[in-house]
Amino acid sequence: MKAEPGDSYLDEKSIKSWLLTRDHKRIGILFFVATGLALVLGGVFALILRLELLTPRATLVGQTAYNRLFTLHGVTMVWLFLIPSIPAAFGNFLLPIMIGARDVAFPRLNLASFYIYLLGAIVTLAGMFVGGTDTGWTFYVPYSSETHTSVFPVLLGVFILGWSTIITGVNFITTVHTMRTKGMKLFDMPLFVWTIYGTSIIQVLATPVLAITLSLAGIDAVFNWGIFDPARGGDPVLYQHLFWFYSHPAVYIMILPAMGVISEVVCTFSHKNPLSYKAIAISTFGIAFVGFLTWGHHMFTAGMSAFDAGAFGVLSMLVAIFSAIKVFTWVGTMYRGSISLETPMLYVLAFLFLFVFGGMTGVAVATMSLDVHWHDTYFVVAHFHFIMVGGSLTAYLAALHYWFPKVTGKMYREKWAFPAALLVFGGFVITFVPQFLLGNMGMPRRYANYPEHMQTLHTISTAGSWALLGGLGMTLINILWAVRYGRQASPNPWWSASYEWYTANPPPKHNWVGSPSFERGCYDYTQSAPDPRGSVSVAAPPNLSQEVVSG
Amino acid sequence: MNVDQWLRELLFLPEAATEFADGIDQLHFFVISVTMLGSAAVFMAALWFVIRYRRRAEPGTTPAVKASKPLEFSLIALLLSLFILWWVIGFFQYIGYATPPRGAEEVYVTGKQWMWKFSYPDGRASVGVLVVPVDRDVRLILTSRDVIHSFYAPAFRLKQDALPGRYTTAWFRAREQGVFDVYCAEYCGVSHSRMWASVVVLKGADYERWLEGDEPQLVADATTRAAVEGYEFQRVGQQASSMAEEGRKAASENGCFACHTIDGQPHIGPTWQNLYGRTVSLNDGTKVVADEEYLTRSMMEPLQQVVDGFQPVMPTYLGTLSQPQAAAIVEFIKSLKDVPPKPKVALPQASVTTREPQLLDEGAAPAIEYAATRPATAERDGEPARAERKAATGTQTASEHPTDAGKEGER
């Protein structure tokens, strides 16, 4: 069969065609499947942890196993899921399409990035399963150089994962600068592209510091150089500075792409231009830049000077200002829109609730004197789960539902997806709101045993985790079912003006037939669009200056 | 029930056992209520738009709404000023947290896997229970024997990491008697979640009894709690001599007095007298306060920060001095304030000349020279820390200021 330019990228079915693909869309799907497995794995660890915490004493698993499990949970979720999920899966799939490109700038590197990720993931997981690493995902010295469990393979694994991150970042930055279709200026780009671009810059700038830090910790653990060993003139707090210099910006690697997803979904489902395109685009860089200057707020109780603490505190609050600009703009975008409350939009509402709530508790923990009480307690655990799970995971689910028809050409069942989203939201709130209160009570993190008067709140939290599991399970079933049996999606099911909907569902092999040029803005809803639903001839939004071949 | 108490219960906060904790809680209530109301308002606005502007038919066109600049700027300005306000309050509270008051009772706290050890200057030590008097400032000098730990007393809203090879300090002033929980808040290995302790705050009379070696009821309660919960515990044991005394012994055994005098005379190294708490000039032009951390570092890495005017000749005592020994020497140096104690060890033959004391004000007299032995000071030498404590708790009314009493004696 001779390949036609309009053939779907999914037409080739052989396994080899998937494993050796250089198509950014397929690589995006490979990343999606791999990170999805990591999510499932990390979720299972979380459920076991929550089950253990039903009772004040270590019962289900012992202290040793508990310490290994929270390490597994943290490492899997942070390094294997949150950091690569949205940029490497959705970013890979959508970024070239959104800027009218045929692929990323370096397709082979893109595939290499995936295999490096896979290698890193295997080394990390194998290291933890075989070696029983129990340091937590932060690998704090001197514990990580003194523990009898093996730390080096995990450090090596995360080090390898960092390469994958850097390569993807370099690839995206180059793509954005060199591959935009003719006539598209930087400020014509969709907002999702802006956030992926900002994320990539953080990845390229910060990840090398992580590599240095992990190398030093690895050298300390294996060759016993004593870089962080105070008995030999080393400094354990230096490790924390280096580690958070990467890992705090890493939080923005996790949340910025989520913000990009929200910007897209809120405009499409409100059928409206963003209240201020520039505010959203530029605040992204505000967060990316200031995010590099806030790492010290992880160390308010490590004995830092009041002056340092004050500086880190006020800079941390600045991040909240930039985030607030985004939030105001999203809410303002809905004003006078034509809002359709379908599953992706429901996730946006959940995101708004959880992100604003979680972000504001971030301001609370940035207030130095309050953090003294909350640091390393469940308050902080709840705070970052509100941002990571309530923010990133919710946006990830919004993206999954929003772009599902784009990726597969099929449609999931709204009757399953909507209640699943409600269950995810409800389960999340029940799981993590009690954890704020536990933190207030003084429940420290990473505790297999806890005082008996804290049991009630722990029980509620565990119950919530099962509701959350129910919601995510429903979503998984719905998605798997739709991949196989879903009905054909209409070309532009959400009536979106965004550029990715100009091409067919699923897109052709090289995204576009010919080189597109977009005359209409991607958030321009002031012109009427012909009904795209169900009719192939009007598959694309209007004013598309190329002939669209679809189906 | 007052509002604070009500909010505390609503937020599941433990009782506030210090005034510092009250301040923290009030800022907590302020920050949390405003942020929660703000979050709710934003979410309600979004929800209202979803209802008000719901899609009724197939979407047509929507107007291109531009952001109202004044509205956006005023919202951001409002937020920013709120944040700055919280920050300013939080900053001042943090300074309070980071600055222990002068003249506080001092307790050395050592974290190790997996227990908290408390050493009192009078030489006694206990594990798992810290006994302090009510209404007195207590300064904790924390360090760790192995990995990083964190001393966390929720009722005091107090947390401070204990780092190996470093000293950090924390302080509190409990205003009521009771038994308060202490947890380790920095993950430290297998039994991290069992690295607990209690702070027992005792009233004057009970505290006196405890000093005498009794076990008041609250201390017994804390013991029971340790047994029930199963964390490390050891009753306070009496050591033969005070920490300062131990320090003197360690200094003598390790030959410190070959170079350092304790009578104000500079020798090969700076004198130890009046050294603690003073700001010293270093040979690189910087200044440093001679606190626990600096003194310990000078033993372990002596060439890093050399005092101006001295040769960088001191060998390192890393691996020679154990950590308790180093802490004891620091405590000995701390005891060498204002009044020269009578050395019980043979001093090196540094020629000692007697001069009149010039300045006796605290912290202001770097160059006072004393005779090595003086009959008048011998009385006070026995248990300085103990004497101070008694004076402070009011039982020894005759001599409110033991230091002054000593000075009188000299003259």
Side-chain angles (χ1 to χ4, degrees), chain A residues 57 134 231 235 271 300-301 306 310 338-339 357 369 372-376 440-441 446-447 449 451 525, chain B residues 11-12 14 36 53 55 62 87 91 93-94 152 159-161 166 183-187 192-194 228 318:
Chain A
R57 300 272 173 134
D134 67 343
D235 186 351
H271 210 69
F300 284 156
T301 67
S338 167
I339 302 171
F357 206 75
S369 62
V372 170
H373 179 56
W374 285 326
H375 178 71
D376 269 336
N440 281 349
M441 288 176 98
R446 299 173 168 178
Y447 260 31
N449 304 291
Y525 291 99
Chain B
L11 293 170
F12 286 76
M36 291 306 107
Y53 300 109
R55 194 176 294 177
T62 54
W87 179 80
F91 188 52
Q93 288 183 341
Y94 189 86
Y152 178 33
K159 186 180 291 122
Q160 180 63 57
D161 291 3
R166 268 201 193 188
Y183 306 114
C184 175
E186 182 66 65
Y187 175 67
H192 165 57
S193 62
R194 272 281 176 258
V228 171
L318 197 72

Side-chain angles (χ1 to χ4, degrees), chain A residues 221-401:
Chain A
V222 175
F223 301 110
N224 205 14
W225 278 13
I227 299 161
F228 302 116
D229 178 4
R232 282 174 286 168
D235 186 351
V237 180
L238 175 66
Y239 174 85
Q240 297 181 20
H241 280 287
L242 288 170
F243 181 82
W244 290 114
F245 185 81
Y246 165 77
S247 293
H248 196 75
V251 172
Y252 305 114
I253 295 179
M254 305 174 203
I255 196 68
L256 280 178
M259 291 170 158
V261 171
I262 298 303
S263 304
E264 293 296 325
V265 176
V266 84
C267 290
T268 293
F269 286 83
S270 304
H271 210 69
K272 186 123 167 327
N273 68 315
L275 188 65
S276 170
Y277 173 94
K278 285 207 167 156
I280 295 185
I282 292 170
S283 60
T284 301
F285 289 86
I287 294 174
F289 177 70
V290 178
F292 273 103
L293 306 174
T294 62
W295 78 91
H297 65 217
H298 294 268
M299 284 171 275
F300 284 156
T301 67
M304 68 166 38
S305 76
F307 177 81
D308 290 355
F312 283 123
V314 77
L315 285 165
S316 307
M317 288 176 176
L318 214 51
V319 174
I321 293 288
F322 288 118
S323 306
I325 292 174
K326 282 189 190 287
V327 168
F328 289 149
T329 314
W330 291 324
V331 175
T333 301
M334 297 182 195
Y335 173 65
R336 298 184 67 189
S338 167
I339 302 171
S340 162
L341 188 58
E342 290 165 274
T343 305
M345 189 61 184
L346 185 61
Y347 278 117
V348 168
L349 283 183
F351 176 94
L352 277 178
F353 182 84
L354 302 175
F355 179 74
V356 176
F357 206 75
M360 288 307 242
T361 57
V363 178
V365 288
T367 311
M368 298 78 74
S369 62
L370 298 183
D371 185 62
V372 170
H373 179 56
W374 285 326
H375 178 71
D376 269 336
T377 68
Y378 265 62
F379 192 93
V380 173
V381 173
H383 158 68
F384 71 73
H385 278 89
F386 258 68
I387 304 292
M388 303 288 87
V389 187
S392 295
L393 184 69
T394 310
Y396 172 87
L397 291 170
L400 174 61
H401 288 88

Side-chain angles (χ1 to χ4, degrees), chain B residues 203-220:
Chain B
K203 277 191 180 146
D206 277 347
Y207 186 64
E208 283 305 311
R209 279 180 54 212
W210 179 77
L211 285 177
E212 305 294 337
D214 268 11
E215 191 175 82
Q217 187 54 43
L218 287 175
V219 180

Side-chain angles (χ1 to χ4, degrees), chain A residues 96-173:
Chain A
I97 302 182
M98 282 179 160
I99 59 172
R102 290 160 63 89
D103 207 316
V104 290
F106 308 113
R108 285 183 188 82
L109 266 186
N110 204 15
L111 184 65
S113 171
F114 173 71
Y115 282 108
I116 292 171
Y117 167 82
L118 214 55
L119 177 69
I122 290 169
V123 171
T124 309
L125 286 172
M128 285 192 294
F129 275 115
V130 177
T133 316
D134 67 343
T135 59
W137 74 277
T138 48
F139 313 114
Y140 265 23
V141 292
Y143 185 72
S144 64
S145 45
E146 289 185 7
T147 175
H148 300 296
T149 62
S150 77
V151 178
F152 184 75
V154 186
L155 293 176
L156 182 69
V158 175
F159 183 89
I160 296 171
L161 288 169
W163 278 101
S164 162
T165 311
I166 293 173
I167 291 174
T168 302
V170 168
N171 211 341
F172 286 168
I173 292 172

Side-chain angles (χ1 to χ4, degrees), chain A residues 439-497:
Chain A
N440 281 349
M441 288 176 98
M443 167 83 198
R445 288 172 74 175
R446 299 173 168 178
Y447 260 31
N449 304 291
Y450 59 85
E452 270 167 30
H453 64 282
M454 296 175 179
Q455 190 176 7
T456 314
L457 288 171
H458 270 300
T459 311
I460 298 171
S461 180
T462 301
S465 71
W466 286 91
L468 186 54
L469 170 75
L472 290 174
M474 272 178 82
T475 306
L476 181 66
I477 293 169
N478 190 20
I479 291 299
L480 290 179
W481 178 89
V483 167
R484 190 88 178 78
Y485 304 108
R487 68 174 164 80
Q488 190 70 34
S490 52
N492 186 6
W494 318 119
W495 305 66
S496 177

Side-chain angles (χ1 to χ4, degrees), chain B residues 369-386:
Chain B
E369 293 174 7
Y370 288 104
T373 55
R374 252 172 213 237
T377 59
E379 300 164 18
R380 202 188 104 64
D381 190 41
E383 277 188 55
R386 181 66 181 280

